[in-house]
Structure formats: C-alpha cells, structure tokens
Amino acid sequence: MDHNEKDIDDVTGIDTTGHEWDGIKELNNPLPRWWLWAFYATIVWAVLYTVAYPAWPLVNRATGGLLGYSTRGEVVQQIEAVEAQNATLTAALASVDLASLSEDQMLNRYAIAGGAAVFRTYCSQCHGSGAAGAVGYPNLLDDDWLWGGEIEEIAYTVRHGIRNEVDSDAHWSEMPAFGELLEEQEITNLVEYVRSISGQQHDAAMAAEGTILFEEQCTACHGEAGMGDDSLGAPNLTDAIWLYGGDREALTETITYSRFGVMPPWSPRLSDAEVNAVAAYVHQLGGGEQPATE
C-alpha cells in the first residue's frame, strides 16, 4: 500500500495508524480538542511558574523568581509571629524562680508544653521518646536521680551537662577503675556484697568478704549504707534501679573498668527559657523531687 494512501477501517470508517496485531488495527483517532487545550495550558502555566517562583536549581541556590517568594521565609514569618505573641510568657519563663513555677498555672502550662517540644528535639535521642532511658542513659520517669531531681537541679544539669570538657560548671565525678587496684576475687566479693544490699540473690560468704572492701573503697562516695550521694553523682546501690545493669556481669564490668557517662551542656544551644521549660517538663513526668522541707 502507498504510504500516502490511508488505510480506512471497514467498521468505523476511521483511518488507522498502519499498526496491526493479530488482525487488530489501531485507529488513528485524534486527541480530544479539550485535552489538547488543557495540555497547552499546562505548558504555559509551567513556563510562567518557573519565571515567577523559585524553580531551577543552580550550584548553591535556586532561581529566585520575579515574585521573590520563599517557603522558608514564610515559615520564618510565622515563627516570628508566634514568638511575638508569646514574648511576655517567654520572658517570664526565662527569669522565673523555678521553685515557684507551679504556682503560676498559665506559665507552668506554657513551660511544660514548650519543654515537651524541646525534649523531643534534643533529649529523646538518648533518653527515649517516653523518657524511660536505656542502658547508660538515665530513666527520667523514676525518682532515682544521680545529681538531684528538684526542678532547679534538673535545670542546672540541662544547662551545664555532666563530665564534659566544654562547660567548666558541668557536674563532675569519676569512679576509679578498681581492676587496677583490686584482685579479681576481691572484685567478685564486692559484686556479691552490692547484690546483697540491693536485695538480689548472692553468695553470703563472698558478700561478707566484700563488706570490708566496700567500707574501705566505696563508702566515700556511695555512703556507709550504699545509699549514694547526689552531690557526687554516686548512685544508690540499695534499690533495683541500675543505670548500667545490676546483674553480676554488669556489676563486674562497672567495678573493674568504672563508668564515665558524659552529657553535653545545652546552654549554648538552648535559651534560658528553653532550659527552664524542659526542666519543668522533665520534673512533672513523675519522678521529679520536691524541695526538701526544713
């Protein structure tokens, strides 16, 4: 058939494209006019959009567009508007006496809501989204605090951190690596003694041997009864709460090699209001301690 001659379908009377599969021919139906106009309109719209708005990526930025619109700029404006609305509360939170924060219900609610956001952003990576902690990262829901659980003490810990070399006011203490000071059997006896005062299954004879070792080596920080000292970050060894584990293997590793957990200071990255807010949030989770009464 001549290429210029149309192949007309006998049934529909419409010419075909010349393609045929198993006797089935493809009709050469034209596209609907409305579809063509819509297609042309999208092309025109795309051209106008790329001229008016940021569109084409360059080396270190994108074309700005004639309108100069920026989604980042819009977000910044929205954040600034919210901050302006909350400026009075934020200023009050930055300078509030944390011990009396709960007396101001509006400010306290504002602090807890803001503190929850701060916690999810900066603290949940270590302490967990629910603040239950993990091995080596304290559970903030219980009432066992290494450096004190009053709201002001929590704020201090957040602001300055623990055993870091950035903030000179960071909490600081260091447990000796007793593997360099004691024999293996002495460490084993100490482990049994610690298990005995924490109410765990233990070897009584070894625990008795460990009693003197504990008095000589450990009471300076953990106290004679093993109750700990939050001014030194020394944990209470008589309860069932363990930062690194209370089984024999974990206790042996702790005594042999010591522990040296580090927390960064958040004051360079968080404002005073944000530090106070996250302290308020953590304090009300359930384990925060109330100020001691005289």
Coordinates of all heavy atoms in Angstrom, one line a residue, residues 137-172:
Y137 N 21.8 5.6 79.9 CA 21.0 6.8 79.8 C 19.9 6.8 80.8 O 19.0 6.0 80.7 CB 20.5 7.0 78.4 CG 21.6 7.0 77.3 CD1 21.9 5.8 76.6 CD2 22.3 8.1 77.1 CE1 22.9 5.8 75.7 CE2 23.3 8.1 76.1 CZ 23.6 7.0 75.4 OH 24.6 7.0 74.5
P138 N 19.9 7.7 81.8 CA 19.0 7.6 82.9 C 17.5 7.6 82.5 O 17.1 8.3 81.6 CB 19.4 8.8 83.8 CG 20.8 9.1 83.4 CD 20.9 8.8 82.0
N139 N 16.8 6.8 83.3 CA 15.3 6.9 83.2 C 14.9 8.1 84.0 O 15.2 8.3 85.1 CB 14.7 5.6 83.8 CG 13.2 5.6 83.8 OD1 12.5 6.6 83.5 ND2 12.7 4.4 84.1
L140 N 14.1 9.0 83.3 CA 13.7 10.3 83.9 C 12.3 10.2 84.5 O 11.8 11.2 84.9 CB 13.8 11.4 82.9 CG 15.1 11.6 82.2 CD1 15.1 12.7 81.1 CD2 16.2 11.9 83.2
L141 N 11.7 9.0 84.5 CA 10.4 8.8 85.0 C 10.4 8.4 86.4 O 9.4 8.5 87.1 CB 9.6 7.8 84.1 CG 9.5 8.0 82.6 CD1 8.9 6.9 81.9 CD2 8.8 9.3 82.4
D142 N 11.5 7.8 86.9 CA 11.5 7.3 88.3 C 12.0 8.4 89.2 O 12.3 9.5 88.8 CB 12.3 6.0 88.4 CG 13.8 6.2 87.9 OD1 14.3 7.3 88.1 OD2 14.4 5.3 87.4
D143 N 12.2 8.0 90.5 CA 12.6 9.0 91.5 C 14.0 8.8 91.9 O 14.4 9.1 93.0 CB 11.7 9.0 92.7 CG 11.6 7.7 93.4 OD1 12.2 6.7 92.9 OD2 10.9 7.5 94.4
D144 N 14.8 8.2 91.0 CA 16.2 7.9 91.4 C 17.1 8.9 90.5 O 17.2 8.8 89.3 CB 16.6 6.5 91.0 CG 17.9 6.0 91.7 OD1 17.9 6.0 92.9 OD2 18.8 5.7 91.0
W145 N 17.7 9.9 91.2 CA 18.5 10.9 90.5 C 19.9 10.9 90.9 O 20.3 11.0 92.1 CB 17.8 12.3 90.8 CG 16.4 12.4 90.3 CD1 15.3 12.0 91.0 CD2 16.0 12.8 89.0 NE1 14.2 12.2 90.2 CE2 14.6 12.7 89.0 CE3 16.7 13.3 87.9 CZ2 13.9 13.1 87.9 CZ3 15.9 13.7 86.8 CH2 14.5 13.6 86.8
L146 N 20.8 10.9 89.9 CA 22.3 10.9 90.2 C 22.7 12.3 90.7 O 23.6 12.4 91.6 CB 23.0 10.5 89.0 CG 22.9 9.1 88.5 CD1 23.7 8.8 87.2 CD2 23.4 8.1 89.6
W147 N 22.1 13.4 90.2 CA 22.6 14.7 90.5 C 21.4 15.6 91.1 O 21.5 16.8 91.1 CB 23.2 15.4 89.3 CG 24.4 14.7 88.8 CD1 24.4 13.8 87.7 CD2 25.7 14.8 89.2 NE1 25.7 13.3 87.5 CE2 26.5 13.9 88.4 CE3 26.3 15.5 90.2 CZ2 27.9 13.8 88.6 CZ3 27.7 15.4 90.4 CH2 28.5 14.5 89.6
G148 N 20.4 14.9 91.6 CA 19.3 15.6 92.2 C 18.1 15.8 91.3 O 18.3 16.1 90.1
G149 N 16.9 15.6 91.8 CA 15.7 15.7 90.9 C 14.8 16.8 91.2 O 13.7 16.9 90.7
E150 N 15.3 17.8 92.0 CA 14.5 19.0 92.2 C 14.5 19.8 90.9 O 15.5 19.7 90.1 CB 15.0 19.9 93.3 CG 14.8 19.2 94.7 CD 15.3 20.1 95.8 OE1 15.4 21.3 95.6 OE2 15.5 19.5 96.9
I151 N 13.5 20.6 90.6 CA 13.4 21.3 89.3 C 14.6 22.2 89.0 O 15.1 22.2 87.9 CB 12.1 22.1 89.2 CG1 11.9 22.6 87.7 CG2 12.0 23.2 90.2 CD1 10.5 23.1 87.5
E152 N 15.1 22.8 90.0 CA 16.3 23.7 89.8 C 17.6 22.9 89.6 O 18.4 23.3 88.8 CB 16.5 24.6 91.1 CG 15.4 25.6 91.2 CD 15.5 26.4 92.5 OE1 15.9 25.8 93.5 OE2 15.3 27.6 92.5
E153 N 17.7 21.7 90.2 CA 18.8 20.8 89.9 C 18.7 20.2 88.5 O 19.8 20.1 87.9 CB 18.8 19.7 91.0 CG 19.1 20.2 92.4 CD 18.9 19.1 93.5 OE1 18.0 18.2 93.3 OE2 19.5 19.2 94.5
I154 N 17.5 19.9 88.1 CA 17.4 19.4 86.7 C 17.8 20.5 85.7 O 18.5 20.2 84.7 CB 15.9 19.0 86.5 CG1 15.6 17.8 87.4 CG2 15.7 18.6 85.0 CD1 14.1 17.4 87.3
A155 N 17.4 21.7 86.0 CA 17.7 22.8 85.1 C 19.2 23.0 85.0 O 19.8 23.3 84.0 CB 17.0 24.1 85.5
Y156 N 19.9 22.9 86.2 CA 21.4 23.0 86.2 C 22.0 21.9 85.4 O 23.0 22.2 84.6 CB 21.8 23.0 87.7 CG 23.3 23.2 87.8 CD1 23.8 24.5 88.1 CD2 24.3 22.2 87.6 CE1 25.2 24.7 88.3 CE2 25.6 22.4 87.7 CZ 26.1 23.7 88.1 OH 27.4 23.9 88.2
T157 N 21.5 20.7 85.5 CA 22.1 19.6 84.8 C 21.9 19.8 83.3 O 22.9 19.6 82.5 CB 21.5 18.3 85.2 OG1 21.7 18.1 86.6 CG2 22.1 17.1 84.4
V158 N 20.7 20.2 82.9 CA 20.5 20.5 81.5 C 21.4 21.6 81.0 O 22.0 21.5 79.9 CB 19.0 20.9 81.2 CG1 18.8 21.4 79.8 CG2 18.1 19.7 81.6
R159 N 21.5 22.7 81.7 CA 22.3 23.8 81.3 C 23.8 23.5 81.2 O 24.4 23.9 80.2 CB 22.1 25.0 82.3 CG 22.8 26.3 81.9 CD 22.4 27.4 82.8 NE 21.1 27.9 82.4 CZ 20.0 27.8 83.1 NH1 20.0 27.1 84.3 NH2 18.8 28.3 82.7
H160 N 24.4 22.8 82.1 CA 25.8 22.6 82.2 C 26.3 21.2 81.8 O 27.5 21.1 81.4 CB 26.3 23.0 83.6 CG 26.0 24.4 84.0 ND1 26.6 25.5 83.4 CD2 25.2 24.8 84.9 CE1 26.2 26.6 84.0 NE2 25.3 26.2 84.9
G161 N 25.4 20.2 81.9 CA 25.8 18.9 81.5 C 26.6 18.1 82.5 O 26.7 18.6 83.7
I162 N 27.1 17.0 82.1 CA 27.8 16.1 83.1 C 29.1 15.6 82.5 O 29.2 15.2 81.3 CB 27.0 14.9 83.4 CG1 25.6 15.3 84.1 CG2 27.7 13.9 84.3 CD1 24.6 14.2 84.2
R163 N 30.2 15.8 83.2 CA 31.5 15.3 82.8 C 32.0 15.7 81.4 O 32.6 14.9 80.7 CB 31.6 13.8 83.0 CG 31.3 13.3 84.4 CD 31.6 11.8 84.5 NE 31.1 11.3 85.8 CZ 29.9 10.8 85.9 NH1 29.1 10.7 84.9 NH2 29.5 10.4 87.1
N164 N 31.6 16.9 80.9 CA 32.0 17.3 79.6 C 33.2 18.3 79.8 O 33.4 18.8 80.9 CB 30.9 17.9 78.8 CG 30.3 19.2 79.5 OD1 30.9 20.2 79.5 ND2 29.1 19.0 80.1
E165 N 33.9 18.5 78.7 CA 35.1 19.4 78.8 C 34.8 20.7 78.2 O 35.7 21.5 77.8 CB 36.3 18.7 78.1 CG 36.7 17.4 78.8 CD 37.9 16.8 78.1 OE1 38.3 17.3 77.1 OE2 38.4 15.7 78.6
V166 N 33.5 21.0 78.0 CA 33.1 22.2 77.3 C 32.7 23.3 78.4 O 33.0 24.5 78.3 CB 31.9 22.0 76.4 CG1 31.5 23.3 75.7 CG2 32.3 21.0 75.3
D167 N 31.9 22.8 79.4 CA 31.4 23.8 80.4 C 32.2 23.5 81.7 O 32.1 22.4 82.3 CB 29.9 23.5 80.6 CG 29.2 24.6 81.4 OD1 29.8 25.0 82.4 OD2 28.1 25.0 81.0
S168 N 32.8 24.6 82.2 CA 33.6 24.4 83.4 C 32.7 24.2 84.7 O 33.1 23.8 85.7 CB 34.4 25.7 83.7 OG 33.6 26.8 83.7
D169 N 31.3 24.5 84.5 CA 30.4 24.3 85.6 C 29.7 22.9 85.5 O 28.7 22.7 86.3 CB 29.4 25.4 85.7 CG 30.0 26.7 86.1 OD1 30.9 26.7 86.9 OD2 29.6 27.8 85.5
A170 N 30.1 22.1 84.6 CA 29.4 20.8 84.5 C 29.6 19.9 85.7 O 30.6 20.1 86.5 CB 30.0 20.0 83.3
H171 N 28.6 19.1 86.0 CA 28.8 18.1 87.1 C 30.0 17.3 86.8 O 30.2 16.8 85.7 CB 27.5 17.2 87.2 CG 26.3 17.9 87.7 ND1 26.3 18.6 88.9 CD2 25.1 18.0 87.2 CE1 25.0 19.1 89.1 NE2 24.3 18.8 88.0
W172 N 30.7 17.0 87.8 CA 32.0 16.2 87.6 C 32.2 15.2 88.7 O 32.3 15.6 89.9 CB 33.2 17.1 87.4 CG 34.3 16.3 86.8 CD1 35.2 15.6 87.4 CD2 34.7 16.2 85.4 NE1 36.1 15.0 86.6 CE2 35.8 15.4 85.3 CE3 34.1 16.8 84.2 CZ2 36.4 15.1 84.1 CZ3 34.7 16.5 83.0 CH2 35.9 15.7 82.9

